Amino acid sequence: MRQILMHWLIEVHTNFKLLPETLFIATKLVDRFTENVQVKRRNYQLIGITSMLIAAKYEEIYPPYIKQFIEITDNAYTKQ
């Protein structure tokens, strides 16, 4: 599952034209979270996109909005 998630996160990263550091931080956040918590298959995308949001807020000057992240997940999740 990690390989599929990372491939998708690279596509998201490219789509939003984010800094390389944002992708590295997001990857590290995913890895650190999944090594401590057993994750169900259906939650991997949520963990990935949340990690990307956190990394973007930390690294980017103008990070994408939450609404944009929801749209990129095909509205699979809500703001809550």
Side-chain angles (χ1 to χ4, degrees), residues 25-54:
I25 292 170
T27 302
K28 188 66 175 174
L29 288 171
V30 168
D31 290 342
R32 291 189 71 183
F33 182 80
T34 56
E35 77 181 20
N36 293 321
V37 177
Q38 190 168 4
V39 180
K40 294 182 181 177
R41 184 180 182 141
R42 66 175 185 248
N43 292 331
Y44 267 97
Q45 188 180 33
L46 179 60
I47 291 167
I49 204 68
T50 303
S51 297
M52 186 66 76
L53 173 66
I54 293 168

Side-chain angles (χ1 to χ4, degrees), residues 3-14:
Q3 183 179 7
I4 295 168
L5 176 65
M6 289 304 134
H7 180 71
W8 181 75
L9 282 178
I10 291 169
E11 289 178 16
V12 170
H13 174 264
T14 304

Side-chain angles (χ1 to χ4, degrees), residues 46 49-50 53 57 65-71 73 75-80:
L46 179 60
I49 204 68
T50 303
L53 173 66
K57 285 188 177 269
Y65 295 108
I66 293 175
K67 182 179 178 182
Q68 293 173 296
F69 282 115
I70 292 170
E71 289 171 359
T73 61
N75 293 315
Y77 306 100
T78 63
K79 202 173 182 179
Q80 286 77 23

